[in-house]
Amino acid sequence: SKVAVVPRKLVLSAPFSDDEDEQEGGRSWDTNLSVKLWQECTKGKNSAYYGYCALLTRGANMEQKQTYPSTAPDALRHWTSTQKALLETTENGKKLLNVEQKQQEEWKQKYANLNASEKANMSFEDFQWAMEAVHSRAFRGDFGALDGG
């Protein structure tokens, strides 16, 4: 069987470590990758990743300041209060709601820790969009062979 080989220059990446203190600027891999993704997508056709960004934004005009369509529209954070209330009737549902709440708190803290320049170019809603895209599509880890391309 064949394995796809993607040249490193075509991979949008951020340094990864399980220890967040060892990461770029003391920030987590997902924060760094989300900021990079947002920056690339807002470049529009000037981005080396234009095709990928166009896919993620579903053809939205990337060069205009706007919130892009969700990359994971069925994610719990997009559910209505009525829909979430259904989960409150079971223990597993309550656990799921707690995980979602914890994730939102973590993402708010990660956004709060961005520098002023990053926040000036990326609202919290934009950051959530990018984090959602990263968490629904990224691979994390040391893949070793990436240096070969």
Side-chain angles (χ1 to χ4, degrees), residues 28 30-31 34 71-72 75 77-78 99-114 123-136:
S28 62
D30 58 350
T31 299
S34 294
T71 58
R77 72 183 196 92
H78 298 294
V99 168
E100 189 256 346
Q101 180 62 38
K102 182 180 175 191
Q103 181 186 59
Q104 284 301 302
E105 290 169 9
E106 287 175 0
W107 287 8
K108 285 177 186 170
Q109 186 60 50
K110 288 177 180 192
Y111 179 77
N113 290 335
L114 296 181
S123 69
F124 179 63
E125 290 76 21
D126 300 334
F127 181 72
Q128 285 183 301
W129 175 88
M131 288 289 277
E132 184 177 88
V134 164
H135 279 272
S136 64

PDB file of all heavy atoms in Angstrom, residues 28 30-31 34 71-72 75 77-78 99-114 123-136:
ATOM      1  N   SER A  28       0.323  26.718  24.549  1.00  0.00           N
ATOM      2  CA  SER A  28       0.070  25.363  24.073  1.00  0.00           C
ATOM      3  C   SER A  28       0.149  25.281  22.552  1.00  0.00           C
ATOM      4  O   SER A  28      -0.005  26.277  21.840  1.00  0.00           O
ATOM      5  CB  SER A  28      -1.300  24.891  24.552  1.00  0.00           C
ATOM      6  OG  SER A  28      -2.306  25.734  24.012  1.00  0.00           O
ATOM      7  N   ASP A  30      -1.953  24.064  20.518  1.00  0.00           N
ATOM      8  CA  ASP A  30      -3.197  24.409  19.831  1.00  0.00           C
ATOM      9  C   ASP A  30      -3.379  25.917  19.722  1.00  0.00           C
ATOM     10  O   ASP A  30      -3.875  26.415  18.708  1.00  0.00           O
ATOM     11  CB  ASP A  30      -4.414  23.735  20.463  1.00  0.00           C
ATOM     12  CG  ASP A  30      -4.625  24.045  21.934  1.00  0.00           C
ATOM     13  OD1 ASP A  30      -3.742  24.637  22.586  1.00  0.00           O
ATOM     14  OD2 ASP A  30      -5.696  23.668  22.454  1.00  0.00           O
ATOM     15  N   THR A  31      -2.941  26.656  20.718  1.00  0.00           N
ATOM     16  CA  THR A  31      -3.012  28.117  20.656  1.00  0.00           C
ATOM     17  C   THR A  31      -2.111  28.626  19.535  1.00  0.00           C
ATOM     18  O   THR A  31      -2.531  29.433  18.697  1.00  0.00           O
ATOM     19  CB  THR A  31      -2.593  28.752  21.996  1.00  0.00           C
ATOM     20  OG1 THR A  31      -3.485  28.304  23.017  1.00  0.00           O
ATOM     21  CG2 THR A  31      -2.610  30.268  21.922  1.00  0.00           C
ATOM     22  N   SER A  34      -3.535  27.678  16.161  1.00  0.00           N
ATOM     23  CA  SER A  34      -4.745  28.448  15.862  1.00  0.00           C
ATOM     24  C   SER A  34      -4.399  29.861  15.401  1.00  0.00           C
ATOM     25  O   SER A  34      -5.005  30.366  14.444  1.00  0.00           O
ATOM     26  CB  SER A  34      -5.658  28.513  17.093  1.00  0.00           C
ATOM     27  OG  SER A  34      -6.153  27.227  17.394  1.00  0.00           O
ATOM     28  N   THR A  71     -16.348  25.005  11.480  1.00  0.00           N
ATOM     29  CA  THR A  71     -15.735  23.814  10.895  1.00  0.00           C
ATOM     30  C   THR A  71     -16.260  22.541  11.552  1.00  0.00           C
ATOM     31  O   THR A  71     -15.992  21.444  11.078  1.00  0.00           O
ATOM     32  CB  THR A  71     -14.201  23.849  11.027  1.00  0.00           C
ATOM     33  OG1 THR A  71     -13.863  23.948  12.403  1.00  0.00           O
ATOM     34  CG2 THR A  71     -13.620  25.021  10.255  1.00  0.00           C
ATOM     35  N   ALA A  72     -16.984  22.687  12.646  1.00  0.00           N
ATOM     36  CA  ALA A  72     -17.584  21.549  13.357  1.00  0.00           C
ATOM     37  C   ALA A  72     -18.957  21.993  13.881  1.00  0.00           C
ATOM     38  O   ALA A  72     -19.151  22.170  15.084  1.00  0.00           O
ATOM     39  CB  ALA A  72     -16.679  21.091  14.496  1.00  0.00           C
ATOM     40  N   ALA A  75     -20.648  20.458  16.962  1.00  0.00           N
ATOM     41  CA  ALA A  75     -19.949  20.466  18.250  1.00  0.00           C
ATOM     42  C   ALA A  75     -20.877  20.992  19.340  1.00  0.00           C
ATOM     43  O   ALA A  75     -21.722  21.861  19.099  1.00  0.00           O
ATOM     44  CB  ALA A  75     -18.693  21.327  18.161  1.00  0.00           C
ATOM     45  N   ARG A  77     -20.584  23.043  21.650  1.00  0.00           N
ATOM     46  CA  ARG A  77     -20.601  24.491  21.914  1.00  0.00           C
ATOM     47  C   ARG A  77     -21.586  25.234  21.015  1.00  0.00           C
ATOM     48  O   ARG A  77     -21.927  26.373  21.279  1.00  0.00           O
ATOM     49  CB  ARG A  77     -19.212  25.092  21.817  1.00  0.00           C
ATOM     50  CG  ARG A  77     -18.629  25.216  20.452  1.00  0.00           C
ATOM     51  CD  ARG A  77     -17.193  25.759  20.509  1.00  0.00           C
ATOM     52  NE  ARG A  77     -16.762  26.221  19.214  1.00  0.00           N
ATOM     53  CZ  ARG A  77     -16.895  27.460  18.785  1.00  0.00           C
ATOM     54  NH1 ARG A  77     -17.443  28.373  19.547  1.00  0.00           N
ATOM     55  NH2 ARG A  77     -16.467  27.800  17.588  1.00  0.00           N
ATOM     56  N   HIS A  78     -22.066  24.578  19.957  1.00  0.00           N
ATOM     57  CA  HIS A  78     -23.045  25.189  19.055  1.00  0.00           C
ATOM     58  C   HIS A  78     -24.483  24.783  19.370  1.00  0.00           C
ATOM     59  O   HIS A  78     -25.405  25.256  18.721  1.00  0.00           O
ATOM     60  CB  HIS A  78     -22.726  24.821  17.595  1.00  0.00           C
ATOM     61  CG  HIS A  78     -21.398  25.320  17.148  1.00  0.00           C
ATOM     62  ND1 HIS A  78     -21.105  26.654  17.016  1.00  0.00           N
ATOM     63  CD2 HIS A  78     -20.272  24.653  16.814  1.00  0.00           C
ATOM     64  CE1 HIS A  78     -19.853  26.786  16.620  1.00  0.00           C
ATOM     65  NE2 HIS A  78     -19.331  25.586  16.488  1.00  0.00           N
ATOM     66  N   VAL A  99     -17.309  18.976  30.542  1.00  0.00           N
ATOM     67  CA  VAL A  99     -16.132  19.006  29.669  1.00  0.00           C
ATOM     68  C   VAL A  99     -16.222  20.199  28.729  1.00  0.00           C
ATOM     69  O   VAL A  99     -15.233  20.911  28.507  1.00  0.00           O
ATOM     70  CB  VAL A  99     -16.004  17.672  28.881  1.00  0.00           C
ATOM     71  CG1 VAL A  99     -14.966  17.792  27.770  1.00  0.00           C
ATOM     72  CG2 VAL A  99     -15.648  16.538  29.824  1.00  0.00           C
ATOM     73  N   GLU A 100     -17.405  20.423  28.170  1.00  0.00           N
ATOM     74  CA  GLU A 100     -17.581  21.558  27.260  1.00  0.00           C
ATOM     75  C   GLU A 100     -17.355  22.884  27.987  1.00  0.00           C
ATOM     76  O   GLU A 100     -16.693  23.790  27.469  1.00  0.00           O
ATOM     77  CB  GLU A 100     -18.995  21.520  26.651  1.00  0.00           C
ATOM     78  CG  GLU A 100     -19.204  22.507  25.536  1.00  0.00           C
ATOM     79  CD  GLU A 100     -20.002  23.734  25.921  1.00  0.00           C
ATOM     80  OE1 GLU A 100     -20.638  23.714  26.992  1.00  0.00           O
ATOM     81  OE2 GLU A 100     -19.994  24.711  25.149  1.00  0.00           O
ATOM     82  N   GLN A 101     -17.867  22.997  29.203  1.00  0.00           N
ATOM     83  CA  GLN A 101     -17.680  24.216  29.993  1.00  0.00           C
ATOM     84  C   GLN A 101     -16.203  24.440  30.306  1.00  0.00           C
ATOM     85  O   GLN A 101     -15.689  25.556  30.183  1.00  0.00           O
ATOM     86  CB  GLN A 101     -18.491  24.148  31.292  1.00  0.00           C
ATOM     87  CG  GLN A 101     -18.349  25.368  32.173  1.00  0.00           C
ATOM     88  CD  GLN A 101     -18.847  26.644  31.520  1.00  0.00           C
ATOM     89  OE1 GLN A 101     -19.841  26.635  30.809  1.00  0.00           O
ATOM     90  NE2 GLN A 101     -18.147  27.738  31.738  1.00  0.00           N
ATOM     91  N   LYS A 102     -15.507  23.364  30.670  1.00  0.00           N
ATOM     92  CA  LYS A 102     -14.080  23.457  30.973  1.00  0.00           C
ATOM     93  C   LYS A 102     -13.299  23.893  29.729  1.00  0.00           C
ATOM     94  O   LYS A 102     -12.409  24.736  29.811  1.00  0.00           O
ATOM     95  CB  LYS A 102     -13.558  22.116  31.481  1.00  0.00           C
ATOM     96  CG  LYS A 102     -12.105  22.132  31.852  1.00  0.00           C
ATOM     97  CD  LYS A 102     -11.641  20.780  32.361  1.00  0.00           C
ATOM     98  CE  LYS A 102     -10.146  20.801  32.599  1.00  0.00           C
ATOM     99  NZ  LYS A 102      -9.600  19.472  32.845  1.00  0.00           N
ATOM    100  N   GLN A 103     -13.653  23.334  28.559  1.00  0.00           N
ATOM    101  CA  GLN A 103     -12.982  23.717  27.324  1.00  0.00           C
ATOM    102  C   GLN A 103     -13.193  25.192  27.031  1.00  0.00           C
ATOM    103  O   GLN A 103     -12.251  25.900  26.661  1.00  0.00           O
ATOM    104  CB  GLN A 103     -13.483  22.872  26.159  1.00  0.00           C
ATOM    105  CG  GLN A 103     -12.783  23.222  24.852  1.00  0.00           C
ATOM    106  CD  GLN A 103     -13.367  22.486  23.669  1.00  0.00           C
ATOM    107  OE1 GLN A 103     -14.554  22.624  23.373  1.00  0.00           O
ATOM    108  NE2 GLN A 103     -12.545  21.700  23.006  1.00  0.00           N
ATOM    109  N   GLN A 104     -14.404  25.691  27.205  1.00  0.00           N
ATOM    110  CA  GLN A 104     -14.672  27.103  26.953  1.00  0.00           C
ATOM    111  C   GLN A 104     -13.857  27.990  27.889  1.00  0.00           C
ATOM    112  O   GLN A 104     -13.310  29.017  27.465  1.00  0.00           O
ATOM    113  CB  GLN A 104     -16.168  27.401  27.086  1.00  0.00           C
ATOM    114  CG  GLN A 104     -16.984  26.931  25.903  1.00  0.00           C
ATOM    115  CD  GLN A 104     -16.526  27.579  24.606  1.00  0.00           C
ATOM    116  OE1 GLN A 104     -16.517  28.793  24.451  1.00  0.00           O
ATOM    117  NE2 GLN A 104     -16.111  26.760  23.652  1.00  0.00           N
ATOM    118  N   GLU A 105     -13.754  27.598  29.151  1.00  0.00           N
ATOM    119  CA  GLU A 105     -12.956  28.372  30.102  1.00  0.00           C
ATOM    120  C   GLU A 105     -11.481  28.369  29.705  1.00  0.00           C
ATOM    121  O   GLU A 105     -10.808  29.397  29.770  1.00  0.00           O
ATOM    122  CB  GLU A 105     -13.142  27.816  31.517  1.00  0.00           C
ATOM    123  CG  GLU A 105     -14.526  28.074  32.078  1.00  0.00           C
ATOM    124  CD  GLU A 105     -14.821  27.307  33.363  1.00  0.00           C
ATOM    125  OE1 GLU A 105     -13.891  26.700  33.933  1.00  0.00           O
ATOM    126  OE2 GLU A 105     -15.996  27.313  33.779  1.00  0.00           O
ATOM    127  N   GLU A 106     -10.982  27.195  29.278  1.00  0.00           N
ATOM    128  CA  GLU A 106      -9.585  27.098  28.839  1.00  0.00           C
ATOM    129  C   GLU A 106      -9.340  27.965  27.608  1.00  0.00           C
ATOM    130  O   GLU A 106      -8.325  28.655  27.524  1.00  0.00           O
ATOM    131  CB  GLU A 106      -9.223  25.643  28.525  1.00  0.00           C
ATOM    132  CG  GLU A 106      -9.080  24.779  29.753  1.00  0.00           C
ATOM    133  CD  GLU A 106      -8.838  23.311  29.408  1.00  0.00           C
ATOM    134  OE1 GLU A 106      -8.782  22.940  28.207  1.00  0.00           O
ATOM    135  OE2 GLU A 106      -8.716  22.519  30.365  1.00  0.00           O
ATOM    136  N   TRP A 107     -10.266  27.926  26.656  1.00  0.00           N
ATOM    137  CA  TRP A 107     -10.092  28.723  25.439  1.00  0.00           C
ATOM    138  C   TRP A 107     -10.142  30.212  25.761  1.00  0.00           C
ATOM    139  O   TRP A 107      -9.401  31.002  25.169  1.00  0.00           O
ATOM    140  CB  TRP A 107     -11.129  28.347  24.395  1.00  0.00           C
ATOM    141  CG  TRP A 107     -10.889  27.004  23.748  1.00  0.00           C
ATOM    142  CD1 TRP A 107      -9.957  26.067  24.120  1.00  0.00           C
ATOM    143  CD2 TRP A 107     -11.582  26.451  22.642  1.00  0.00           C
ATOM    144  NE1 TRP A 107     -10.043  24.971  23.295  1.00  0.00           N
ATOM    145  CE2 TRP A 107     -11.030  25.173  22.381  1.00  0.00           C
ATOM    146  CE3 TRP A 107     -12.632  26.900  21.850  1.00  0.00           C
ATOM    147  CZ2 TRP A 107     -11.487  24.362  21.358  1.00  0.00           C
ATOM    148  CZ3 TRP A 107     -13.082  26.079  20.818  1.00  0.00           C
ATOM    149  CH2 TRP A 107     -12.507  24.824  20.577  1.00  0.00           C
ATOM    150  N   LYS A 108     -10.994  30.632  26.690  1.00  0.00           N
ATOM    151  CA  LYS A 108     -11.042  32.044  27.092  1.00  0.00           C
ATOM    152  C   LYS A 108      -9.707  32.463  27.700  1.00  0.00           C
ATOM    153  O   LYS A 108      -9.202  33.554  27.422  1.00  0.00           O
ATOM    154  CB  LYS A 108     -12.178  32.281  28.086  1.00  0.00           C
ATOM    155  CG  LYS A 108     -13.547  32.293  27.448  1.00  0.00           C
ATOM    156  CD  LYS A 108     -14.649  32.462  28.473  1.00  0.00           C
ATOM    157  CE  LYS A 108     -16.014  32.319  27.809  1.00  0.00           C
ATOM    158  NZ  LYS A 108     -17.096  32.247  28.788  1.00  0.00           N
ATOM    159  N   GLN A 109      -9.137  31.592  28.529  1.00  0.00           N
ATOM    160  CA  GLN A 109      -7.852  31.905  29.152  1.00  0.00           C
ATOM    161  C   GLN A 109      -6.740  31.956  28.113  1.00  0.00           C
ATOM    162  O   GLN A 109      -5.894  32.842  28.139  1.00  0.00           O
ATOM    163  CB  GLN A 109      -7.514  30.878  30.237  1.00  0.00           C
ATOM    164  CG  GLN A 109      -6.267  31.216  31.021  1.00  0.00           C
ATOM    165  CD  GLN A 109      -6.374  32.552  31.735  1.00  0.00           C
ATOM    166  OE1 GLN A 109      -7.342  32.817  32.426  1.00  0.00           O
ATOM    167  NE2 GLN A 109      -5.377  33.411  31.568  1.00  0.00           N
ATOM    168  N   LYS A 110      -6.752  31.025  27.182  1.00  0.00           N
ATOM    169  CA  LYS A 110      -5.734  31.013  26.129  1.00  0.00           C
ATOM    170  C   LYS A 110      -5.842  32.279  25.276  1.00  0.00           C
ATOM    171  O   LYS A 110      -4.822  32.873  24.909  1.00  0.00           O
ATOM    172  CB  LYS A 110      -5.875  29.756  25.261  1.00  0.00           C
ATOM    173  CG  LYS A 110      -5.436  28.497  25.998  1.00  0.00           C
ATOM    174  CD  LYS A 110      -5.631  27.243  25.168  1.00  0.00           C
ATOM    175  CE  LYS A 110      -5.170  26.029  25.952  1.00  0.00           C
ATOM    176  NZ  LYS A 110      -5.064  24.821  25.140  1.00  0.00           N
ATOM    177  N   TYR A 111      -7.060  32.690  24.972  1.00  0.00           N
ATOM    178  CA  TYR A 111      -7.241  33.926  24.195  1.00  0.00           C
ATOM    179  C   TYR A 111      -6.749  35.128  25.004  1.00  0.00           C
ATOM    180  O   TYR A 111      -6.075  36.002  24.469  1.00  0.00           O
ATOM    181  CB  TYR A 111      -8.707  34.120  23.795  1.00  0.00           C
ATOM    182  CG  TYR A 111      -8.914  35.390  23.020  1.00  0.00           C
ATOM    183  CD1 TYR A 111      -8.553  35.478  21.676  1.00  0.00           C
ATOM    184  CD2 TYR A 111      -9.444  36.528  23.628  1.00  0.00           C
ATOM    185  CE1 TYR A 111      -8.718  36.656  20.960  1.00  0.00           C
ATOM    186  CE2 TYR A 111      -9.611  37.715  22.915  1.00  0.00           C
ATOM    187  CZ  TYR A 111      -9.245  37.770  21.586  1.00  0.00           C
ATOM    188  OH  TYR A 111      -9.401  38.936  20.884  1.00  0.00           O
ATOM    189  N   ALA A 112      -7.065  35.156  26.282  1.00  0.00           N
ATOM    190  CA  ALA A 112      -6.645  36.273  27.140  1.00  0.00           C
ATOM    191  C   ALA A 112      -5.129  36.402  27.180  1.00  0.00           C
ATOM    192  O   ALA A 112      -4.593  37.507  27.347  1.00  0.00           O
ATOM    193  CB  ALA A 112      -7.199  36.094  28.550  1.00  0.00           C
ATOM    194  N   ASN A 113      -4.419  35.300  26.987  1.00  0.00           N
ATOM    195  CA  ASN A 113      -2.961  35.304  27.039  1.00  0.00           C
ATOM    196  C   ASN A 113      -2.295  35.650  25.707  1.00  0.00           C
ATOM    197  O   ASN A 113      -1.070  35.713  25.634  1.00  0.00           O
ATOM    198  CB  ASN A 113      -2.445  33.949  27.537  1.00  0.00           C
ATOM    199  CG  ASN A 113      -2.751  33.743  29.002  1.00  0.00           C
ATOM    200  OD1 ASN A 113      -2.912  34.686  29.768  1.00  0.00           O
ATOM    201  ND2 ASN A 113      -2.861  32.486  29.405  1.00  0.00           N
ATOM    202  N   LEU A 114      -3.090  35.874  24.659  1.00  0.00           N
ATOM    203  CA  LEU A 114      -2.498  36.302  23.389  1.00  0.00           C
ATOM    204  C   LEU A 114      -1.924  37.703  23.555  1.00  0.00           C
ATOM    205  O   LEU A 114      -2.370  38.468  24.412  1.00  0.00           O
ATOM    206  CB  LEU A 114      -3.553  36.322  22.275  1.00  0.00           C
ATOM    207  CG  LEU A 114      -4.181  35.001  21.870  1.00  0.00           C
ATOM    208  CD1 LEU A 114      -5.184  35.231  20.734  1.00  0.00           C
ATOM    209  CD2 LEU A 114      -3.147  33.970  21.470  1.00  0.00           C
ATOM    210  N   SER A 123     -10.606  38.345  17.003  1.00  0.00           N
ATOM    211  CA  SER A 123     -11.548  38.419  18.125  1.00  0.00           C
ATOM    212  C   SER A 123     -11.622  37.061  18.824  1.00  0.00           C
ATOM    213  O   SER A 123     -11.111  36.060  18.307  1.00  0.00           O
ATOM    214  CB  SER A 123     -12.944  38.790  17.605  1.00  0.00           C
ATOM    215  OG  SER A 123     -13.487  37.706  16.855  1.00  0.00           O
ATOM    216  N   PHE A 124     -12.274  37.023  19.968  1.00  0.00           N
ATOM    217  CA  PHE A 124     -12.445  35.739  20.648  1.00  0.00           C
ATOM    218  C   PHE A 124     -13.240  34.769  19.771  1.00  0.00           C
ATOM    219  O   PHE A 124     -12.933  33.578  19.713  1.00  0.00           O
ATOM    220  CB  PHE A 124     -13.125  35.902  22.018  1.00  0.00           C
ATOM    221  CG  PHE A 124     -13.328  34.583  22.720  1.00  0.00           C
ATOM    222  CD1 PHE A 124     -12.247  33.805  23.101  1.00  0.00           C
ATOM    223  CD2 PHE A 124     -14.602  34.102  22.972  1.00  0.00           C
ATOM    224  CE1 PHE A 124     -12.428  32.569  23.726  1.00  0.00           C
ATOM    225  CE2 PHE A 124     -14.800  32.882  23.599  1.00  0.00           C
ATOM    226  CZ  PHE A 124     -13.702  32.117  23.976  1.00  0.00           C
ATOM    227  N   GLU A 125     -14.230  35.262  19.051  1.00  0.00           N
ATOM    228  CA  GLU A 125     -15.011  34.399  18.151  1.00  0.00           C
ATOM    229  C   GLU A 125     -14.122  33.836  17.048  1.00  0.00           C
ATOM    230  O   GLU A 125     -14.245  32.663  16.673  1.00  0.00           O
ATOM    231  CB  GLU A 125     -16.189  35.168  17.540  1.00  0.00           C
ATOM    232  CG  GLU A 125     -17.277  35.500  18.540  1.00  0.00           C
ATOM    233  CD  GLU A 125     -16.918  36.654  19.481  1.00  0.00           C
ATOM    234  OE1 GLU A 125     -16.019  37.479  19.147  1.00  0.00           O
ATOM    235  OE2 GLU A 125     -17.520  36.726  20.565  1.00  0.00           O
ATOM    236  N   ASP A 126     -13.202  34.649  16.522  1.00  0.00           N
ATOM    237  CA  ASP A 126     -12.257  34.181  15.508  1.00  0.00           C
ATOM    238  C   ASP A 126     -11.344  33.103  16.100  1.00  0.00           C
ATOM    239  O   ASP A 126     -11.052  32.094  15.453  1.00  0.00           O
ATOM    240  CB  ASP A 126     -11.385  35.332  14.991  1.00  0.00           C
ATOM    241  CG  ASP A 126     -12.184  36.457  14.355  1.00  0.00           C
ATOM    242  OD1 ASP A 126     -13.307  36.210  13.855  1.00  0.00           O
ATOM    243  OD2 ASP A 126     -11.682  37.600  14.375  1.00  0.00           O
ATOM    244  N   PHE A 127     -10.894  33.337  17.328  1.00  0.00           N
ATOM    245  CA  PHE A 127     -10.028  32.380  18.012  1.00  0.00           C
ATOM    246  C   PHE A 127     -10.758  31.054  18.208  1.00  0.00           C
ATOM    247  O   PHE A 127     -10.188  29.980  17.981  1.00  0.00           O
ATOM    248  CB  PHE A 127      -9.575  32.963  19.352  1.00  0.00           C
ATOM    249  CG  PHE A 127      -8.649  32.070  20.135  1.00  0.00           C
ATOM    250  CD1 PHE A 127      -7.341  31.887  19.721  1.00  0.00           C
ATOM    251  CD2 PHE A 127      -9.083  31.437  21.289  1.00  0.00           C
ATOM    252  CE1 PHE A 127      -6.475  31.067  20.455  1.00  0.00           C
ATOM    253  CE2 PHE A 127      -8.234  30.623  22.024  1.00  0.00           C
ATOM    254  CZ  PHE A 127      -6.916  30.445  21.603  1.00  0.00           C
ATOM    255  N   GLN A 128     -12.031  31.119  18.604  1.00  0.00           N
ATOM    256  CA  GLN A 128     -12.814  29.894  18.768  1.00  0.00           C
ATOM    257  C   GLN A 128     -12.927  29.148  17.438  1.00  0.00           C
ATOM    258  O   GLN A 128     -12.820  27.923  17.406  1.00  0.00           O
ATOM    259  CB  GLN A 128     -14.217  30.203  19.287  1.00  0.00           C
ATOM    260  CG  GLN A 128     -14.261  30.558  20.750  1.00  0.00           C
ATOM    261  CD  GLN A 128     -15.686  30.789  21.203  1.00  0.00           C
ATOM    262  OE1 GLN A 128     -16.388  31.651  20.685  1.00  0.00           O
ATOM    263  NE2 GLN A 128     -16.116  30.015  22.171  1.00  0.00           N
ATOM    264  N   TRP A 129     -13.148  29.883  16.359  1.00  0.00           N
ATOM    265  CA  TRP A 129     -13.232  29.261  15.037  1.00  0.00           C
ATOM    266  C   TRP A 129     -11.928  28.520  14.728  1.00  0.00           C
ATOM    267  O   TRP A 129     -11.943  27.362  14.294  1.00  0.00           O
ATOM    268  CB  TRP A 129     -13.519  30.313  13.959  1.00  0.00           C
ATOM    269  CG  TRP A 129     -13.499  29.721  12.579  1.00  0.00           C
ATOM    270  CD1 TRP A 129     -14.552  29.152  11.918  1.00  0.00           C
ATOM    271  CD2 TRP A 129     -12.365  29.602  11.708  1.00  0.00           C
ATOM    272  NE1 TRP A 129     -14.135  28.691  10.687  1.00  0.00           N
ATOM    273  CE2 TRP A 129     -12.797  28.955  10.533  1.00  0.00           C
ATOM    274  CE3 TRP A 129     -11.033  29.984  11.807  1.00  0.00           C
ATOM    275  CZ2 TRP A 129     -11.950  28.670   9.473  1.00  0.00           C
ATOM    276  CZ3 TRP A 129     -10.181  29.710  10.740  1.00  0.00           C
ATOM    277  CH2 TRP A 129     -10.640  29.062   9.596  1.00  0.00           C
ATOM    278  N   ALA A 130     -10.809  29.188  14.959  1.00  0.00           N
ATOM    279  CA  ALA A 130      -9.513  28.587  14.664  1.00  0.00           C
ATOM    280  C   ALA A 130      -9.223  27.396  15.581  1.00  0.00           C
ATOM    281  O   ALA A 130      -8.723  26.360  15.119  1.00  0.00           O
ATOM    282  CB  ALA A 130      -8.404  29.640  14.775  1.00  0.00           C
ATOM    283  N   MET A 131      -9.551  27.518  16.858  1.00  0.00           N
ATOM    284  CA  MET A 131      -9.344  26.397  17.787  1.00  0.00           C
ATOM    285  C   MET A 131     -10.206  25.209  17.374  1.00  0.00           C
ATOM    286  O   MET A 131      -9.766  24.051  17.422  1.00  0.00           O
ATOM    287  CB  MET A 131      -9.664  26.819  19.218  1.00  0.00           C
ATOM    288  CG  MET A 131      -8.646  27.749  19.832  1.00  0.00           C
ATOM    289  SD  MET A 131      -7.064  26.974  20.212  1.00  0.00           S
ATOM    290  CE  MET A 131      -7.452  26.234  21.796  1.00  0.00           C
ATOM    291  N   GLU A 132     -11.424  25.478  16.971  1.00  0.00           N
ATOM    292  CA  GLU A 132     -12.321  24.415  16.521  1.00  0.00           C
ATOM    293  C   GLU A 132     -11.736  23.719  15.286  1.00  0.00           C
ATOM    294  O   GLU A 132     -11.744  22.487  15.198  1.00  0.00           O
ATOM    295  CB  GLU A 132     -13.679  25.021  16.205  1.00  0.00           C
ATOM    296  CG  GLU A 132     -14.752  24.042  15.824  1.00  0.00           C
ATOM    297  CD  GLU A 132     -16.073  24.758  15.613  1.00  0.00           C
ATOM    298  OE1 GLU A 132     -16.328  25.216  14.474  1.00  0.00           O
ATOM    299  OE2 GLU A 132     -16.839  24.880  16.581  1.00  0.00           O
ATOM    300  N   ALA A 133     -11.220  24.493  14.356  1.00  0.00           N
ATOM    301  CA  ALA A 133     -10.614  23.918  13.150  1.00  0.00           C
ATOM    302  C   ALA A 133      -9.396  23.079  13.518  1.00  0.00           C
ATOM    303  O   ALA A 133      -9.228  21.953  13.024  1.00  0.00           O
ATOM    304  CB  ALA A 133     -10.230  25.029  12.169  1.00  0.00           C
ATOM    305  N   VAL A 134      -8.567  23.599  14.391  1.00  0.00           N
ATOM    306  CA  VAL A 134      -7.360  22.878  14.806  1.00  0.00           C
ATOM    307  C   VAL A 134      -7.730  21.577  15.521  1.00  0.00           C
ATOM    308  O   VAL A 134      -7.197  20.512  15.212  1.00  0.00           O
ATOM    309  CB  VAL A 134      -6.470  23.776  15.694  1.00  0.00           C
ATOM    310  CG1 VAL A 134      -5.434  22.963  16.462  1.00  0.00           C
ATOM    311  CG2 VAL A 134      -5.794  24.842  14.842  1.00  0.00           C
ATOM    312  N   HIS A 135      -8.660  21.653  16.452  1.00  0.00           N
ATOM    313  CA  HIS A 135      -9.007  20.452  17.226  1.00  0.00           C
ATOM    314  C   HIS A 135      -9.782  19.421  16.415  1.00  0.00           C
ATOM    315  O   HIS A 135      -9.777  18.240  16.772  1.00  0.00           O
ATOM    316  CB  HIS A 135      -9.772  20.830  18.493  1.00  0.00           C
ATOM    317  CG  HIS A 135      -8.862  21.277  19.584  1.00  0.00           C
ATOM    318  ND1 HIS A 135      -8.282  20.413  20.479  1.00  0.00           N
ATOM    319  CD2 HIS A 135      -8.386  22.509  19.897  1.00  0.00           C
ATOM    320  CE1 HIS A 135      -7.512  21.078  21.308  1.00  0.00           C
ATOM    321  NE2 HIS A 135      -7.547  22.355  20.973  1.00  0.00           N
ATOM    322  N   SER A 136     -10.411  19.836  15.350  1.00  0.00           N
ATOM    323  CA  SER A 136     -11.164  18.865  14.561  1.00  0.00           C
ATOM    324  C   SER A 136     -10.351  18.316  13.384  1.00  0.00           C
ATOM    325  O   SER A 136     -10.798  17.392  12.719  1.00  0.00           O
ATOM    326  CB  SER A 136     -12.474  19.491  14.049  1.00  0.00           C
ATOM    327  OG  SER A 136     -12.224  20.554  13.156  1.00  0.00           O
TER     328      SER A 136
END
